[in-house]
Amino acid sequence: MPDPADATVFFVGNATMIIRSHGFTVLTDPNFLHQGQRAHLGWGLSTRRRTEPAMEITELPPLDLVVLSHMHGDHWDRIARKGLDKDLPIVTTRHAAARLRRQGFVRAIGLEPWEYHHERHGDGTLTVTATPARHAPGPVNSMMPPVMGSVLDFAHAGEVDLRLHISGDTIMDECLSEIPRRFPDIDVGILHLGGTRILGVTVTMDGAQGVEWLGLMQPESALPVHYDDYAAFASPLKDFQQHVRRAGLSHMVHYLMRGETYRLPVRKAGVRPHRPVVGPG
């Protein structure tokens, strides 16, 4: 099988990434709208894209799996709906899976929090576990589609040697507190930022909440995404960067621009990570 150490994240834009490890190629939250096009958010709401994705959907490599956090137009758009293979497995919420099956994606897999989906390639395995998330505070949350975070455990010969946690579109909430208890030793935390504002309410983490999330999840390293691609994003990346510096966490966070690749830190066989507790000073 391919060398497990050859593991990477390619940042397409917004929350769209191509994750390669252990012979698997995974696409997250496919969003290929172009600058100036509008993503639909439901209830007659939409937001204009400010940026170009780093690639076209026709340039994607062969995929094994899609992980979709929820059914919003900046995470699953009309280009994805028309351009992706209808037989491709898509791991997502039960709400989104029902929508996808109506669109012809017959292998959409709907999960509730803590449920999981398992894939195997030879000695390599990938387990995707849905984790809790909350898209908005108070009653506004009922206007949002259900959302999930996800833990991706890549294993070789039965031993997990790479654990990623993708936050999904969430605000900080008590429902997140169980995640690090069930999934310690997160190698890379990928957090959706932007401080998205809908109807005057913040519905994704801003810079301050992003640092709070790092303190809760305790990843070995972190990659921020979902921070400047749409007009609804009110908290720019520099807001997060300032909070990271104040908290003394600059060593932890890596900043990817669209079109850049990050090499993932696969653990050596038999070695468990040991790291100090980090958090705001």
Side-chain angles (χ1 to χ4, degrees):
M1 67 172 283
D3 184 354
D6 188 19
T8 59
V9 172
F10 177 80
F11 184 36
V12 178
N14 201 39
T16 308
M17 297 167 284
I18 299 170
I19 301 171
R20 289 182 168 100
S21 188
H22 295 65
F24 296 97
T25 301
V26 179
L27 178 68
T28 67
D29 288 349
N31 178 216
F32 293 92
L33 294 175
H34 289 281
Q35 186 176 21
Q37 293 183 309
R38 302 193 74 86
H40 298 289
L41 306 176
W43 301 90
L45 302 172
S46 66
T47 182
R48 181 180 56 82
R49 184 156 194 170
R50 296 167 167 166
T51 63
E52 288 289 341
M55 66 191 306
E56 301 288 343
I57 197 167
T58 54
E59 298 175 306
L60 285 171
L63 300 171
D64 296 292
L65 193 71
V66 174
V67 176
L68 174 63
S69 62
H70 67 305
M71 189 59 76
H72 258 161
D74 62 324
H75 295 258
W76 177 267
D77 60 30
R78 50 196 175 272
I79 298 175
R81 186 171 67 245
K82 294 177 182 177
L84 290 176
D85 184 348
K86 292 294 196 293
D87 197 43
L88 189 63
I90 304 175
V91 178
T92 187
T93 64
R94 290 193 178 182
H95 169 268
R99 291 273 301 274
L100 289 167
R101 285 191 288 268
R102 290 197 293 271
Q103 294 175 8
F105 290 89
V106 295
R107 297 182 67 191
I109 301 152
L111 301 180
E112 293 290 340
W114 313 124
E115 294 181 340
Y116 62 89
H117 174 74
H118 196 65
E119 294 273 342
R120 177 178 293 276
H121 273 178
D123 287 339
T125 59
L126 167 60
T127 303
V128 180
T129 303
T131 58
R134 184 179 178 89
H135 210 333
V140 176
N141 195 54
S142 65
M143 300 176 63
M144 301 288 111
V147 61
M148 73 178 200
S150 54
V151 170
L152 279 62
D153 277 337
F154 293 91
H156 179 245
E159 182 176 353
V160 173
D161 50 18
L162 177 62
R163 171 170 287 167
L164 311 181
H165 175 39
I166 307 173
S167 71
D169 276 17
T170 188
I171 57 173
M172 286 302 296
D173 184 81
E174 178 60 29
C175 72
L176 306 183
S177 62
E178 182 66 17
I179 298 171
R181 288 196 285 267
R182 295 197 187 207
F183 293 96
D185 300 330
I186 295 169
D187 296 296
V188 181
I190 301 173
L191 58 166
H192 293 198
L193 295 172
T196 311
R197 299 280 290 178
I198 296 177
L199 299 174
V201 175
T202 299
V203 299
T204 63
M205 292 183 286
D206 58 15
Q209 288 194 41
V211 167
E212 187 179 352
W213 186 90
L214 292 178
L216 176 64
M217 300 302 168
Q218 300 285 316
E220 176 75 9
S221 60
L223 302 173
V225 298
H226 192 277
Y227 51 76
D228 70 351
D229 291 272
Y230 283 91
F233 296 172
S235 176
L237 184 60
K238 65 180 181 182
D239 177 37
F240 177 66
Q241 291 171 320
Q242 289 171 354
H243 283 89
V244 166
R245 285 193 294 269
R246 290 172 189 160
L249 300 180
S250 296
H251 63 283
M252 176 193 293
V253 183
H254 302 267
Y255 299 100
L256 280 181
M257 298 299 103
R258 284 169 290 276
E260 292 184 343
T261 298
Y262 174 72
R263 186 165 295 279
L264 293 165
V266 177
R267 308 170 193 169
K268 295 181 180 180
V271 176
R272 299 296 294 171
H274 173 74
R275 58 190 69 124
V277 174
V278 298

